[in-house]
Amino acid sequence: MSEKGPVQREMEELLTAAFPDAKFILSNDSASHHGHSGDDGSGESHFSLAIEWPGFAGQNRVARQRAVNKALGDLPGQRVHALAIKATAPGE
């Protein structure tokens, strides 16, 4: 999928608002999950996120993932079936 869909754009807006100065790459992996569990046919069911943010310093992996999920609200588990998260602080 070359163009960003509405779900991906919404996720990027929420991440930008919640994590100022973060560097992130949000990849839509839905095409590789076509026909699998959770594929709703929208083309926006599976994503992976690599995010680097200074505010993650001193937080463990679980706290970082919770912060990302909180920022995304109802998207994970409602409109997004799967989100793989790699959250780091600068220099990690």
Side-chain angles (χ1 to χ4, degrees):
M1 191 171 179
S2 59
E3 288 188 32
K4 294 179 183 179
V7 172
Q8 184 171 359
R9 287 191 304 270
E10 182 178 354
M11 291 172 73
E12 290 176 345
E13 290 170 8
L14 291 168
L15 291 166
T16 299
F19 304 106
D21 302 321
K23 298 176 187 172
F24 66 85
I25 298 171
L26 180 64
S27 302
N28 184 340
D29 304 327
S30 301
S32 62
H33 295 275
H34 180 70
H36 297 169
S37 175
D39 175 26
D40 61 5
S42 71
E44 291 192 283
S45 59
H46 293 73
F47 290 88
S48 57
L49 171 67
I51 181 168
E52 179 184 282
W53 184 55
F56 288 143
Q59 293 183 3
N60 65 30
R61 181 181 56 84
V62 173
R64 294 172 183 188
Q65 291 187 352
R66 284 183 180 152
V68 168
N69 283 320
K70 182 178 179 182
L72 294 174
D74 73 339
L75 285 164
Q78 294 290 322
R79 292 185 280 159
V80 173
H81 174 72
L83 174 63
I85 301 168
K86 180 179 180 187
T88 59
E92 294 183 341

